[in-house]
Amino acid sequence: MAASSALRLILGSSSASRRQILSEMGYQFTLLSADIDEKEIRKEKPEELVVALAHAKADAILEKMQNSGLMKEIVDSQETALLITADQVVVHDGVIREKPSTPEEARKFIKGYSESHAATIGSVLVTNVKSGTRREGWDKSEVYFHKIPDEVVESLIEEGDVFYVAGGLLVEHPLTSPLVEAIVGTIDSVMGLPKALTEKLIKDSLQEP
């Protein structure tokens, strides 16, 4: 679905994967990122955690928009402005995994995916900038790997991309994609922005009175 000229879409994310997915969906958008300390927000259930983090990101970006004058520009315009924020964690053996912070942690995470499957839990939040109305949801997928060789693990750590994704889980990387045995769910969900859920929340937001 292509974006209407009366729709201003803002992606509140610095994730290259999310930018790619939203572009694939046919939308034009601008980018804003939230500078929040994700470790400050704790929830026991992964579904609650990712939704809470998406709300925190939206709060931070709306404040940034208010301070920059962008909020006033949108309120004074005729267009509908929607802000999309999202978050993701990986659950492995019942433990929530966020972005690895050290090479040792990344090594432990990636090696573990050879032993048992990983589940990705991702949230999407669409905020109507003018009305403040928010629509949220979350999606789950599972990834099963063949054995990941040690040399692949070390190459991934040396490259560094694993430190920017939840659980150090890279399925679209040239080194890891041949090692994916199966995905239960969708690749876009695993990559951080489930298309079907995002589309539904955008459509629902556009239909509000």
Side-chain angles (χ1 to χ4, degrees):
M1 172 182 169
S4 155
S5 58
L7 171 64
R8 179 187 292 211
L9 208 55
I10 301 161
L11 177 61
S13 175
S14 55
S15 161
S17 297
R18 292 192 182 109
R19 290 201 301 270
Q20 176 189 330
I21 292 165
L22 196 57
S23 294
E24 287 173 358
M25 291 171 66
Y27 287 105
Q28 293 182 330
F29 53 91
T30 52
L31 292 169
L32 286 174
S33 60
D35 306 313
I36 64 167
D37 182 358
E38 298 187 12
K39 304 280 187 195
E40 283 188 359
I41 298 171
R42 299 292 85 186
K43 301 280 183 185
E44 282 190 24
K45 293 184 178 176
E47 299 86 358
E48 292 177 0
L49 177 61
V50 292
V51 169
L53 284 165
H55 277 280
K57 289 177 182 179
D59 292 342
I61 290 170
L62 290 170
E63 184 180 349
K64 189 183 282 189
M65 290 169 65
Q66 189 78 49
N67 295 338
S68 70
L70 181 57
M71 182 73 81
K72 184 179 187 307
E73 178 190 322
I74 288 171
V75 169
D76 292 346
S77 74
Q78 295 300 308
E79 60 191 358
T80 299
L82 300 179
L83 168 64
I84 300 173
T85 49
D87 195 75
Q88 185 185 58
V89 295
V90 168
V91 177
H92 183 256
D93 289 343
V95 178
I96 294 175
R97 291 180 168 181
E98 296 174 90
K99 299 178 183 80
S101 53
T102 65
E104 291 73 30
E105 193 172 40
R107 192 173 290 112
K108 177 187 171 189
F109 284 3
I110 301 166
K111 282 176 177 279
Y113 303 140
S114 294
E115 309 300 326
S116 52
H117 79 274
T120 60
I121 315 287
S123 64
V124 181
L125 174 70
V126 176
T127 302
N128 184 312
V129 175
K130 283 187 182 178
S131 70
T133 305
R134 297 183 176 195
R135 286 177 165 78
E136 66 186 50
W138 59 271
D139 192 62
K140 177 180 178 180
S141 293
E142 295 177 355
V143 185
Y144 294 80
F145 282 96
H146 297 290
K147 179 164 175 50
I148 303 172
D150 288 348
E151 56 268 27
V152 168
V153 176
E154 296 310 317
S155 294
L156 291 170
I157 291 170
E158 192 175 328
E159 244 179 38
D161 287 351
V162 291
F163 298 104
Y164 298 97
V165 294
L169 183 69
L170 293 169
V171 293
E172 71 281 13
H173 192 283
L175 288 175
T176 53
S177 59
L179 302 172
V180 175
E181 183 178 358
I183 292 176
V184 180
T186 62
I187 185 70
D188 41 273
S189 180
V190 174
M191 289 173 66
L193 194 70
K195 289 181 179 179
L197 174 59
T198 303
E199 189 73 76
K200 178 184 184 302
L201 295 175
I202 290 172
K203 283 184 174 173
D204 289 351
S205 297
L206 291 174
Q207 287 169 0
E208 71 177 58

